[in-house]
Every structure is written in C-alpha cells, then in structure tokens.
Amino acid sequence: MSTGPEKAFDYLVPDELIGEILPGRRVYVPLGRSNRRVMAYCVAVERKEYGQRKLKHVLAALDQQTLVSSHMLNMTQWMADYYLASWGQVLEAVIPAAVRGNAGTREVTLLSVPPQVAMQLATLKLTDKQQKVLTTLAAASKPMTPGDLADKCRVTQAPISTLRKKKLITSEVRRVSHAHFDDLDIERESAKSLSEDQAAALQTILAQVHAPQPKPILLHGVTGSGKTEVYIQAIQNVIDQGKQAIVLVPEISLTPQTKQRFASRFDRIAVLHSHMSDVERHWQWKRIASGIVNVVVGARSAVFAPTPHLGMIILDEEHDTSFKQDSVPRYHAREVAAKRAELEKVPLILGTATPSLETFYRAKQGQYELISMPRRIGNRPLPAVRTVDMRYDKTTGYRGAISRQLYQSIQRTLQQDGQIILLLNRRGHSTHIQCPACGHIVKCPHCELPLTHHITDGSTVCHYCDYRSTAPRVCPDAKCGYSGIRFSGIGTQKLEQEVKAKFSSYPIIRMDSDTMKKPGSHEAALEKFRNQEVRILVGTQMIAKGLDFPNVTLVGVINADTALHFPDVRAGERTFQLITQVAGRTGRGDLGGEVLVQTLSPDHPAIEAATRHDYALFAERELPFRRDFQMTPFAHMVRIIARGPAQASVELFMQQVGEEIQRFTAEKGGEISQQGPAPAPIEKLRGNYRYHLLLHSFDRHLMRAAVLHCREKITVPEDVLWIADVDPIDMM
Ligand code: ADP
Ligand code: ZN
C-alpha cells in the first residue's frame, strides 16, 4: 500500500485474475473493517495452504505490465527496512508518478468488422448511414476509432452505436502512446588512448566486471585525472556484452557538457533530469525497460532505472550530498546503488577526488576495491593553493570581499587573458541586517533566522522558508526606530557589485539559485563562460563541481569558513571537499593555474590539507577524531527530528523519545549514545519549533529496533510530527 500499513498482507487471487496478478503489478484490494478499496502493490504470488485464516479476495488488477522486476522488489524491501519507511512509500519513489499515471498515453477504442459480418454485408437490412459506416470500416486496412469513422462517413455517432449494439461492429480498448522524443544528435568521438593510471584503473574494473560477485570500487582520482574516460571505456565493455550501464551524477552536473561526453561515444543513451515532462519521463522509462537504451545518465533517482540487463552502475562525485533524498524515503543513492549492484551482481564504481569518509573507510577495510589516480592527465601539476589570512585585513578596517592579494591576482590574470572563478557560498547581498543603536536583528517571523537583503528587488528574504518583505529603512523595533540601520555580511550579489566596481571593463556573470531560476539559464551562463564572452564567473557551490574550462587560471575562494563552524560532524569534511573541488577547476589547460583561499582560520586542518591537495592527510587527521567520538563512519547514526507549533509539546515529546530509547537500550543490553534532545540548529522553520536527537551506535539493528519501538509505544501529540533520518547528512 502506498499509504498506511507498513507490512505486506495476504489476499486470495480469484480464478479469473490468475496470470494477471503478478509481482511488481498493482491491484485493488479491500482494506480494514470497512473494506475500503485501496491500491496496493503485489509483491509475491504463492500457492500455499492458508489454514483457518480468513482471507479477502483481490478486487481487480490495475496493470497489464510489470512495473518492477524481482530484483527491484527485493531492493525496495531492503530500502523500506533500512530507511524505516513503508514498503509502499518506497515503491512510489521508485516508480515515477508519470509511469504510474501512464502519462502521455491514452486509452482508445478501436472498431472493426468481424470477418463473418464482412462476408454478408450485402444481405443485411440497414439504413443508408449504417450501410455506409459498415462498408467503410470493412474496407479500412486497420481498426478505426469511433471519431475517425464518424468523420470519414460524415455521420454522427448514432449509426455507429446502433451497429455496435447489433454486434455488427466489435470494439477493443487499447492504451497507446502519442509521445515521441528525438535522440540526441551529436558528433561522434573516438576513444582516447589511456594514460598509465587510467589503463590500470580500467584493468581493475574489468576484473570486477567478470567476477562472480563483483566488489564495489572506489576510483579516487584527483581533479583532472580523467575519470570520465575510464567510465566510458568500462561502459563500452558492458555494452559489448549486451548489457546496460547506469551513470549517476549530481543534479547540478547534468549539463550539456556531461550529456555530450556520453552521447558522443554511445548510441541510445537516456538522460533523466528533473525538468522532464511527465510524458517524456514515461516515454524514457518505457524505452529503458524495453532494453534498447545502452546508457542511462541521471541524477539520484536514476538509480531506479528499469534496465532489464544491468551490467554496471557508476556514481560520479560520490561524496556529493545531493545523492541523499531529504524527503521520505530518505535514501542515499550510493547505498541503494551498492545494494542494487549486490543483488544484480554487477560492479559499482564510485568516483571522486574527495571521497566521503564512509566510502574511504570501507575501501581501507577491504570492503571496496581502491583505485588511485593521483596524477592529472598529461602530468599537469595541480594548481598552487595559497591561503589569505583575512584576520589581518580586519585591522586595517578593510570591509570588502576581495583582499589585496586576490585583487592583484585577478588583475594579473585579466591582463594575461585568463578567466577567473570566484566562489562565495552565500547568496543575496547583505547577510546580516542589524540596528547599531539597539542591536535589533531583522529576522524571519516564521523561522527566527536572520533575513538576507536582496538588492535586485530591494527585498529581505528568508533563505529557509522564502518569506519575503521589503527591506526596512529604519529599525523595525517600535521602541527604537533609529534611521541608520546597517546592512552587513557579504553575499554573491554584493560580491558581484564589488567586482564590477573594481574591474569595470570586464564582463562578469553571477551564478546562484537566484539568477539560475529559469530552466536552461545554467547552460546559457556556462556557454557564455566557455566561449570567453565572460571573463569572471561569480557564484555559489553550483560552480564548484565538474566544470572543465582550460582557460580558467585563477580560482578565488572568498570565504572558506562559511561551512566550517556549522554544528555538523562533517563541517571539516565539507570544507575540505568544497575547496579541493573548486581548486580543481583551474590549471586544467597548458596555462597552469592558481588558487587563493581567503579565510579567518588558515590553520584549520581541513583548510590546510585542502591547500596541499592532500586527501590522505585530511583523512589521517579526521578519522581518529571520528573514532574517538564514535561517529560516522565508525558508528551508525540516526537523527530524530520533531516539529510543531507549540514548543513545549515538541520538547516534551522528544524527551519522551530519548527516555524510551534509553530504557529500550538498557533492556536489550546494548549501547546507543544520544546527543540531545536539543533545539535543532534551525530552531524554528515556517512557524514550527524543531528539536532533534542524534543517536550513535555500532549496532545498526539495535537503533532501528529502538526507533520502531518508539513508533509503537509513544502516543504522538496531535500537534507534533516526527521523523527518523537514517545516515543523516543534513544536520540543520
Ligand atoms: P576528472 O573527471 O577526473 O576531473 P576529466 O574526466 O574531466 O577528469 O578529464 C580531464 C581532461 O582530460 C578532460 O578534458 C578530458 O577530455 C581529458 N582526458 C581524459 N583522458 C585523457 C586521455 N587519455 N588523453 C588525453 N586527454 C584526456
Ligand atoms: Zn523563514
């Protein structure tokens, strides 16, 4: 069931539906005492004794085609179990709504004349109109719809209906697709001859392709080491065996450049992205299920692509947080891919320059095969990274976003015809609006978080709930009303203004979620940068990944500390990843590259390791810390979040959860450590108070049982909603 019960129920299959009801198809069944008619998924059909049990009958079959294979059924069952979701909810996530709703298809009634009627046409007593209809249809080369037939004979539906009633015309209902989308038409490119590192990587991968139970592979290759070419040649091998490959990339990397890299090498690829219409989504799904698609390229949910003969899964930028879904079921595509690969006995390749510590640790433990590509293609050096200590600029009273060193580097780069990427992971203009007279901070009324000033429309915006109001001219505090309210803190809009003012003769473009709202704007902006119409690219993390522009010789990180002080175990890891990834956008051509990182914490281990391009150093320092504090990847984590409009009731509920888990753990004799319950870092969101509780344990099953126990045992107040996030990524 898609809603309601978590478990599977037994029903009897009526004789007339035998053969129509199969695992992976939907049915209608009666549910509960009132025998409510509900839609459900058939997960197994068995022939067995059911003894004294009173079983109800299935009411009807809904699908003529199987929606999920048996492997996928197993996988969804695993997901439901692992992520503490109901099996039905997982199935709804796996099978797109467009497929369930048959988007782009419609039912048509097709009419024909039975042969025995056609033979005695002349002998029938009919009106002129009926005669005309019957002769026309009998003479037609294929069945016709009632509409077409009426048009052709210039009659109303009346004579057709009469003939159907007299059984002189028979009808059948069929579902037809009216969609068609063209394949990408792209110039072919041939295989590159591999570097030594690439060739070795391919060897290791192919050994796993032919293994009876392949091991997942971590392909740890520095930025520009040529991971994509390795993927492509591995996929070629899979296709040669008549199988299909799935390539998962972060949504933001689904650029025309990515599509082109695959489309220029393979026939029949399907690109799945979030802007697709339902009709196209359904059409692509059917194409993939039919087996004619060789390569599926897509974001997170493409891990569910219904390839009939899967040969390999590739997950690029494996560390990327967009692989985790933040609504039910809260799955991580990497874990789901690992499960699917295990079930279908195919290799999984996890590629990245900055492995998540979870994946790296598994590789170190021998659970995953580890491949290293420590050199860039053509032995190009990694760019030199320098930090700029912004603490010193403070003493001179300098308030801008661009330090003297960065200013000089930008100027030099522009003079040498290079291009520049400036990263600032904060959108808006001023990130802080405060009255210097009374100290009042302008906050969102629903979230109590500081509002950001957006200069383009003079509004103040809450970046959490999108609440908007006009920017105040005077202090909004009724008792104060001071007229010199101050806008401070730097977002991408202010940075853009500063860059425009300082380098006025050079074209600049800003990329953040405010400027990139329209579909296609992302590609258009990158195209302008690629053809060097634009010399300076300013943006948030959306510009940090994957871009391959050889003319970029300078990268500036405006504030490396934005994520460093978040209350999140992965704060250091995120910072390391972001700096390493954005630094990797330069030095990709023959012109070399340079990176400047502005920070208030130049000695922070994550920043220091990133400036040296030293993943091993980062991991060496971070792992012992995680072990000492019993955190991921050593222990498992579940985050419980509760919210509601009444603070006291949320807090009380969470205390109950904490206590219940403690009691349960003691009873079972296991160990689950708790952090909290405490107000979540985002304490209030859209008018709801939020509390969270972090559970850590080496025993995943115990934690799971504890959460299920709470679900059963604790009565949830009406005004409280709670969820459990398994392997959480978002700690806010
Ligand atoms: P990564 O994904 O590891 O950052 P890419 O796959 O983007 O690296 O490769 C970096 C650049 O090197 C790309 O422009 C790619 O076309 C080029 N490249 C990759 N492999 C080879 C090769 N064997 N010979 C020549 N150029 C290559
Ligand atoms: Zn808000």
Side-chain angles (χ1 to χ4, degrees):
M1 247 127 293
S2 58
T3 51
E6 309 231 330
K7 51 180 191 184
F9 286 91
D10 290 333
Y11 284 91
L12 294 173
V13 178
D15 287 346
E16 68 272 19
L17 292 180
I18 288 175
E20 256 186 84
I21 293 183
L22 293 171
R25 296 188 186 187
R26 290 170 301 171
V27 292
Y28 284 114
V29 293
L31 181 71
R33 227 176 280 165
S34 60
N35 284 331
R36 198 155 47 90
R37 179 185 167 99
V38 296
M39 197 271 288
Y41 288 86
C42 169
V43 294
V45 177
E46 293 164 330
R47 199 174 270 282
K48 64 177 183 189
E49 289 295 320
Y50 58 97
Q52 298 299 310
R53 290 166 66 202
K54 274 207 185 108
L55 294 182
K56 297 174 189 174
H57 281 89
V58 173
L59 299 173
L62 194 90
D63 298 309
Q64 274 93 55
Q65 272 182 327
T66 301
L67 297 177
V68 264
S69 67
S70 63
H71 280 313
M72 293 292 264
L73 271 178
N74 286 339
M75 192 184 79
T76 51
Q77 188 176 24
W78 171 84
M79 278 176 74
D81 192 68
Y82 187 95
Y83 291 107
L84 299 162
S86 80
W87 198 352
Q89 281 174 323
V90 174
L91 282 161
E92 307 263 271
V94 166
I95 308 161
V99 173
R100 284 180 270 128
N102 281 315
T105 66
R106 63 201 151 90
E107 282 191 342
V108 292
T109 305
L110 293 174
L111 305 178
S112 49
V113 180
Q116 65 275 27
V117 177
M119 285 189 305
Q120 38 172 322
L121 273 187
T123 66
L124 296 166
K125 275 210 184 103
L126 300 168
T127 65
D128 285 354
K129 281 180 182 168
Q130 290 169 355
Q131 187 71 47
K132 188 169 182 193
V133 167
L134 206 56
T135 1
T136 308
L137 186 59
S141 56
K142 54 182 184 195
M144 291 172 82
T145 65
D148 288 348
L149 183 57
D151 282 353
K152 187 144 192 206
C153 303
R154 294 167 200 275
V155 296
T156 62
Q157 286 295 324
I160 301 177
S161 303
T162 315
L163 290 168
R164 284 173 76 177
K165 270 186 216 128
K166 289 186 173 173
K167 303 239 181 329
L168 296 173
I169 288 180
T170 54
S171 65
E172 82 178 298
V173 177
R174 254 191 248 160
R175 187 166 277 286
V176 296
S177 168
H178 54 76
H180 181 78
F181 297 87
D182 287 326
D183 237 346
L184 297 161
D185 186 19
I186 279 172
E187 223 176 285
R188 279 296 119 128
E189 278 173 26
S190 48
K192 295 184 166 68
S193 64
L194 297 181
S195 73
E196 212 174 291
D197 284 350
Q198 285 174 319
L202 186 62
Q203 282 282 306
T204 311
I205 292 169
L206 294 186
Q208 290 302 326
V209 170
H210 301 290
Q213 182 70 58
K215 247 194 204 180
I217 296 163
L218 167 58
L219 177 56
H220 179 197
V222 297
T223 55
S225 57
K227 294 185 284 291
T228 311
E229 188 63 28
V230 175
Y231 303 152
I232 286 176
Q233 299 203 14
I235 293 170
Q236 188 60 56
N237 188 284
V238 165
I239 295 176
D240 292 345
Q241 296 174 46
K243 295 185 178 172
Q244 298 103 36
I246 297 176
V247 182
L248 304 173
V249 301
E251 176 83 38
I252 198 85
S253 307
L254 272 176
T255 58
Q257 197 181 6
T258 307
K259 288 174 209 170
Q260 152 141 34
R261 277 176 127 177
F262 290 93
S264 68
R265 302 290 283 277
F266 300 115
D267 284 330
R268 301 200 300 264
I269 75 165
V271 179
L272 306 178
H273 54 84
S274 61
H275 309 304
M276 239 169 10
S277 68
D278 277 359
V279 174
E280 185 178 2
R281 192 174 298 281
H282 185 211
W283 182 77
Q284 290 284 26
W285 201 88
K286 287 220 140 154
R287 254 178 102 220
I288 296 166
S290 77
I292 69 160
V293 169
N294 288 325
V295 186
V296 180
V297 181
R300 184 173 66 222
S301 63
V303 71
F304 306 127
T307 48
H309 305 288
L310 185 63
M312 174 177 287
I313 307 176
I314 291 167
L315 203 128
D316 192 30
E317 309 288 4
E318 126 346 283
H319 62 280
D320 195 89
T321 53
S322 74
F323 286 121
K324 168 93 171 164
Q325 173 150 301
D326 60 5
S327 56
V328 176
R330 293 167 203 277
Y331 69 92
H332 197 302
R334 183 180 62 214
E335 304 308 312
V336 174
K339 191 68 197 179
R340 185 163 179 192
E342 179 196 317
L343 289 169
E344 304 205 26
K345 298 191 182 357
V346 302
L348 165 68
I349 303 172
L350 303 169
T352 175
T354 52
S356 65
L357 286 173
E358 286 79 9
T359 300
F360 183 69
Y361 182 64
R362 286 178 194 168
K364 281 195 74 146
Q365 300 285 98
Q367 225 172 312
Y368 292 178
E369 192 86 25
L370 175 64
I371 304 176
S372 284
M373 298 207 297
R375 283 174 293 253
R376 281 188 159 181
I377 288 293
N379 273 320
R380 290 200 179 100
L382 285 159
V385 183
R386 280 186 292 145
T387 50
V388 179
D389 189 342
M390 296 300 275
R391 287 174 302 190
Y392 297 138
D393 275 26
K394 272 259 151 84
T395 58
T396 64
Y398 178 71
R399 299 185 70 90
I402 296 171
S403 63
R404 200 164 32 82
Q405 290 98 310
L406 182 56
Y407 177 83
Q408 287 167 348
S409 289
I410 294 176
Q411 211 161 31
R412 188 166 0 100
T413 307
L414 290 170
Q415 277 160 9
Q416 293 166 353
D417 294 329
Q419 285 175 292
I420 297 158
I421 289 180
L422 297 177
L423 172 83
L424 176 60
N425 218 0
R426 275 202 178 160
R427 62 199 177 89
H429 189 260
S430 304
T431 53
H432 194 76
I433 313 169
Q434 189 169 24
C435 172
C438 73
H440 178 89
I441 292 174
V442 178
K443 287 182 178 172
C444 171
H446 310 293
C447 308
E448 279 175 20
L449 291 161
L451 293 178
T452 297
H453 182 215
H454 283 231
I455 195 113
T456 33
D457 56 356
S459 65
T460 55
V461 180
C462 171
H463 282 183
Y464 294 90
C465 76
D466 213 36
Y467 164 83
R468 279 157 201 270
S469 61
T470 36
R473 289 211 193 82
V474 298
C475 175
D477 189 300
K479 286 195 289 280
C480 176
Y482 179 69
S483 63
I485 191 151
R486 191 178 286 160
F487 295 78
S488 57
I490 297 166
T492 44
Q493 293 181 0
K494 199 190 268 185
L495 174 64
E496 180 188 20
Q497 279 184 340
E498 190 178 331
V499 174
K500 275 187 174 154
K502 286 188 164 139
F503 308 97
S504 53
S505 48
Y506 296 96
I508 159 175
I509 200 162
R510 187 181 103 224
M511 286 180 71
D512 54 32
S513 47
D514 295 311
T515 59
M516 297 294 125
K517 276 198 182 114
K518 270 187 262 150
S521 49
H522 191 242
E523 287 91 73
L526 290 179
E527 189 46 41
K528 277 191 184 158
F529 194 57
R530 186 192 322 279
N531 64 27
Q532 304 189 25
E533 216 174 297
V534 165
R535 298 287 298 282
I536 306 175
L537 175 63
V538 169
T540 53
Q541 56 169 354
M542 71 167 63
I543 63 172
K545 285 167 215 155
L547 308 182
D548 186 16
F549 301 127
N551 198 43
V552 174
T553 50
L554 174 66
V555 165
V557 179
I558 300 301
N559 181 357
D561 311 341
T562 43
L564 204 51
H565 306 296
F566 276 176
D568 181 340
V569 275
R570 297 190 183 87
E573 185 176 350
R574 291 276 166 275
T575 303
F576 175 82
Q577 285 163 352
L578 188 63
I579 298 176
T580 309
Q581 292 290 342
V582 73
R585 300 310 112 219
T586 183
R588 297 174 80 89
D590 300 325
L591 306 163
E594 137 179 61
V595 183
L596 284 182
V597 177
Q598 301 188 145
T599 171
L600 296 173
S601 340
D603 305 324
H604 191 284
I607 293 185
E608 205 200 329
T611 60
R612 299 203 206 161
H613 304 286
D614 198 339
Y615 180 83
L617 178 69
F618 163 73
E620 240 165 63
R621 288 174 177 176
E622 184 75 9
L623 282 172
F625 160 80
R626 299 273 186 95
R627 182 186 297 116
D628 291 349
F629 288 89
Q630 296 195 11
M631 287 187 189
T632 174
F634 298 95
H636 306 287
M637 196 173 9
V638 173
R639 182 181 182 224
I640 295 175
I641 308 146
R643 65 176 155 94
Q647 185 170 11
S649 117
V650 180
E651 187 177 6
L652 189 70
F653 169 76
M654 281 298 261
Q655 274 163 3
Q656 246 180 308
V657 173
E659 282 160 20
E660 198 57 52
I661 288 177
Q662 224 159 28
R663 198 171 314 135
F664 180 84
T665 321
E667 201 182 284
K668 298 278 166 197
E671 205 181 319
I672 298 178
S673 65
Q674 299 191 14
Q675 278 178 289
I682 297 176
E683 262 181 81
K684 199 179 168 194
L685 188 63
R686 297 184 183 95
N688 284 306
Y689 291 89
R690 304 170 77 241
Y691 274 71
H692 72 166
L693 170 64
L694 290 176
L695 308 177
H696 303 266
S697 177
F698 292 108
D699 186 347
R700 176 185 290 287
H701 300 290
L702 180 67
M703 255 193 314
R704 187 178 164 276
V707 174
L708 291 177
H709 170 79
C710 288
R711 272 196 196 158
E712 215 157 84
K713 187 93 185 213
I714 304 176
T715 326
V716 188
E718 248 171 46
D719 59 350
V720 173
L721 268 176
W722 74 288
I723 56 134
D725 189 1
V726 177
D727 302 340
I729 293 273
D730 179 1
M731 296 293 171
M732 301 306 277

